[in-house]
Amino acid sequence: MASMGSPVEGNSSTTGASKTVYVALGNDLQEGLKTLDWTLRKWSSCISKIVILHLAPDCSNDVVNTHFGKVLASSMSDEKLEALRNYEQRKVDKLLSEYIAYCGKGVRAKVMKLEKSEEPIERAMVELISKLKISTLVIGISFLKFSPSWKKTRNTIGALFYIHQKKAKWCEMWIVCGGKLVRMTVGESDEGVAMEDEEGKAIPSFRSSSTVGSGSSSSWLGRVFSDNQRKKRSSSCGEGRGGGGGGDCWESNGVEIEKYLQDLTMKMGGLSLEAETEEQRMTSSTSSVQQQGEEGDDVGSQLADHNLSAAQKMEIVRSKIKEIGRRIELKREEAEANAERSANAEWAVSLCNSRVEELESKIKAESTIRSELTRKLESDRERIEDIKSDVEESQNRVRALAELQSELSSRLQMSTAARSAAEAQLQRKSMERAEVVRGIDELRRQRDVLQRRIEFCKEKDAIGGVMMKFGENLRFGYREYSGEDVRSATDDFSGGLRLKSGDDWSTVYRGRISQKTAAIKLFSAEHESSNHHDFFSQVKFLSNIRHPHLVAMMGFCSEPKCIIYEYMHEGSLRDNLLGCSHTSHPGSGNRTLKWFDRIRVAYQICSALAFLHSAKPNPIVHGKLTVSNVLLDRNMVAKLTGFRPSTSIDLRSDIRALGVILLHLLSGKNWGESVESRMRLDRSALVEMLDEMAGPWPLGLTEEIAGIAMRCLSTELDAANVLKELEELVKKGDDIVFRFGRQDKVMSGESDEDDESSSDIPSFFLCPILRDVMENPYVAADGFSYEREAMEEWLKMGKDTSPMTNLRLDHTVLTPNQTLRFLIEEWRNKRNNEPSCSSSSHI
């Protein structure tokens, strides 16, 4: 064990780890593979190298391993001896190759062959651990079973316990049996140490068989006849033992040969190992004859005694005759037993000779096969040479192609340089055009600034007039229009311009004021809002609230008492969902809301509601949230109206109303008071209730919206949580729309002839601040996209909240939204390429 053979290397790929594991394996292939499998699973993440410890076969010059066991080398020819040793070496090499291949490509594996030693295997292993500094050792149970020094070891458990006690402290040892980890326990048995597997079952100790003289003929015969000891003799071979026979007779006579071996072993155990010499046998015979002569003389002297009667003399003679008869019978039985043993020995020798002849024939056949394989190897080598020549020819062709590719690359570089020059010239022209455009934009900006200054001065004069009139400091910063302006805008409150009558003793008219279309809300004299204090309190309340999804106030008129709002061209959400033809709002109900627009409208409503509920110092409760109080502008952007100051802080009513609106958006129907009876919706019921006018609903998103609606009705959520969930649904819906192309054509199944007019701009192309199509969209921390200049101006004003959600921004970093920019450019290109058509709008 002290000397080690050269290692047999396996694959050399590593995984970057640094752990080396030593695994001791025997000649049992299945047991060895199970031990390797346990090792690879144990250190799968950190193992980089496996060293397989294997006991080298006994290659001494005195004996050789055969199918019968170890046979004296001197009894065989040199050719047979070399063939058997080569066969044994190939068998061992194949076993080690199986072990290395099982480790796979991810682990570097090698074999360390341990030479035979006269000292016990357990002591040699302890020395090897200290010599190689082994820190991790796995021992397969079959490793010690086939030790060449096993005769000096008491049993497997004792040897393992010895290694466990005497090994170095830095070494960690694992014992594996049948692919499972076993542990050693100290018990009260004679051996003192036992082994158990992971389930607590005892592992038997593998004792070495006690034989009489390991090098004797009985040990050799035991190995010869052990393989076929359970097979019966065939009838053809049972007629006579001395007839010899082939392999069939060998297998059929295994039982009798085994019995013969056992009898022979028992008899040899009581005899001396040295044979008696011829002189000793002669001496024994002479002494026996002398003893018989002495006994005969003794009998003669007794018969010559005259004092004995005739009857006594006859009795003496009969006893001597009986004793001689017993001796003769014993000699006869001994002669028969010797004859039977001689026949058994001759039969065994004859059978062994026939087995030797059979093995010699097999060796000759193997030599023939080897010669055939050698011829095939030479033929394969010739084919390999032919393949090498073909490879060289292919390499020459590849070099020619490489030269051609190089020439083509040079031409491509020249073309690329020419193209770069053309692009540079085009870029210069584009820059010149951009300079001109920037000059035009600057002039427009100066014009807009001038107009804003004029408007500001007018508003300042109006506010100053109101302050002088009522003697109070109004800080809502909105323009006050005169009664003449309001009457002129509404054609003296003409019935043809009336939009609806409010539930707060007010009437809404459509009018055009300050070159803009506006909604003018006139309060009647009978309502409490006619009081100056209440009226201006409401104006002040509205002036302090700004949100992209709340209807904005443009100004007010103190006499008559009016509040001027921005005009929502598409009317209320109720008109668009129910398609009311009797509505007096121009343009309402003319456009069908697709499913992705409805999800976005739900998100915008919730955004405004979350803004109201998060107001400081007290939250604002809408109280009248219905589809009639949700208005849509020309870009189908939803905005809330109808809110006012309230002393109530019950936010749950708004959440329940939001759930009802979500069901409105799904079904396109007025749920009315029956919502409580429909709170439980299964998949089939949900499919039946969906509005077909919205197009093909994605069922997954639909189920999520219905789930949010049900939780809103049971007031399990607040507006902020609903906003987050709807935001995710909007993103999913946009992904679906982008995946299938244009919203109005692919998702709705319409053709180019049914396309919307060129003035219909997708809402997500609009900047939430400027409400115009974005040129350079950037994503802010709230996840929304804005025009870069508008958002930078928003941040420069000291605002750190989101223009959409009114929540504090986590950071002020803006990220370019290249995908949205590409979509906007593609939309504009398609829009410019479409033929112009006449369109009319309702004002």
Side-chain angles (χ1 to χ4, degrees), residues 21 128 242 248 282 421 481 504 531 558 560 564 571 646 653 739 806:
V21 180
L128 185 65
D248 295 338
M282 294 297 294
Y481 294 92
D504 54 352
N531 181 278
S558 58
I564 296 90
S646 175
S653 60
R739 191 181 304 117
N806 203 35

Side-chain angles (χ1 to χ4, degrees), residues 150-168:
W150 186 244
K151 61 182 181 179
K152 297 183 180 181
T153 303
R154 184 180 181 188
N155 54 46
T156 304
I157 298 178
L160 293 173
F161 188 71
Y162 180 87
I163 298 174
H164 177 70
Q165 281 188 324
K166 301 298 183 179
K167 67 179 178 64

Side-chain angles (χ1 to χ4, degrees), residues 294-561:
E294 291 176 357
E295 290 178 354
D297 294 340
D298 186 23
V299 171
S301 64
Q302 290 180 359
L303 294 176
D305 189 358
H306 300 286
N307 295 328
L308 298 176
S309 61
Q312 292 176 342
K313 292 180 179 180
M314 287 298 294
E315 185 65 28
I316 291 174
V317 172
R318 289 191 186 98
S319 63
K320 291 301 180 181
I321 290 173
K322 289 181 180 180
E323 183 177 355
I324 292 172
R326 285 195 301 271
R327 290 181 179 178
I328 293 172
E329 185 65 27
L330 290 175
K331 293 296 183 180
R332 183 183 296 110
E333 291 177 356
E334 183 178 355
E336 291 177 355
N338 290 333
E340 183 178 0
R341 285 197 296 271
S342 177
N344 290 337
E346 291 177 357
W347 169 73
V349 170
S350 175
L351 193 61
C352 290
N353 289 334
S354 64
R355 185 62 172 172
V356 169
E357 293 176 358
E358 180 185 355
L359 291 177
E360 288 178 351
S361 64
K362 289 183 178 180
I363 291 173
K364 291 180 180 178
E366 185 177 354
S367 299
T368 304
I369 295 174
R370 183 176 180 181
S371 301
E372 183 66 22
L373 292 177
T374 302
R375 288 194 297 270
K376 291 184 178 179
L377 179 60
E378 294 297 331
S379 177
D380 292 340
R381 287 177 178 173
E382 292 178 359
R383 287 198 296 270
I384 291 174
E385 292 297 330
D386 295 339
I387 293 173
K388 286 183 178 179
S389 62
D390 294 340
V391 170
E392 292 178 356
E393 183 178 356
S394 300
Q395 289 178 349
N396 294 332
R397 293 179 180 178
V398 170
R399 283 193 291 269
L401 292 175
E403 294 176 357
L404 179 60
Q405 182 180 5
S406 176
E407 183 179 356
L408 293 177
S409 299
S410 61
R411 293 182 180 180
L412 179 61
Q413 291 178 357
M414 295 175 61
S415 300
T416 304
R419 179 182 177 182
S420 300
E423 289 179 351
Q425 184 177 2
L426 179 61
Q427 186 176 4
R428 288 194 299 271
K429 296 295 183 181
S430 300
M431 293 177 62
E432 294 176 358
R433 180 179 180 276
E435 289 293 336
V436 175
V437 172
R438 279 197 294 270
I440 296 174
D441 292 340
E442 179 65 21
L443 293 176
R444 290 177 177 174
R445 189 187 65 80
Q446 293 177 2
R447 181 197 64 187
D448 294 339
V449 170
L450 181 60
Q451 289 180 350
R452 285 198 296 271
R453 288 180 179 177
I454 294 172
E455 293 292 336
F456 175 76
C457 292
K458 291 182 179 179
E459 291 178 358
K460 184 176 180 181
D461 294 340
I463 293 172
V466 173
M467 291 176 61
M468 293 177 62
K469 183 175 182 180
F470 296 100
E472 57 185 24
N473 186 16
L474 301 180
R475 298 183 178 179
F476 28 85
Y478 281 88
R479 177 178 179 180
E480 179 180 3
Y481 294 92
S482 63
E484 182 180 355
D485 293 335
V486 173
R487 291 186 177 89
S488 176
T490 59
D491 196 11
D492 200 9
F493 302 106
S494 171
L497 297 178
R498 185 174 63 181
L499 298 177
K500 69 172 184 176
S501 297
D503 55 358
D504 54 352
W505 298 91
S506 63
T507 304
V508 181
Y509 294 89
R510 176 172 58 90
R512 188 165 184 82
I513 189 170
S514 298
Q515 307 299 322
K516 296 180 181 179
T517 304
I520 301 172
K521 186 175 183 180
L522 174 65
F523 294 93
S524 63
E526 292 82 1
H527 192 255
E528 60 181 4
S529 296
S530 60
N531 181 278
H532 291 295
H533 178 74
D534 294 339
F535 175 74
F536 283 106
S537 296
Q538 184 174 357
V539 171
K540 184 176 181 180
F541 168 76
L542 295 175
S543 66
N544 291 328
I545 297 178
R546 285 177 177 268
H547 191 269
H549 300 296
L550 294 177
V551 177
M553 184 183 71
M554 297 173 55
F556 66 95
C557 178
S558 58
E559 186 59 39
K561 293 180 175 58

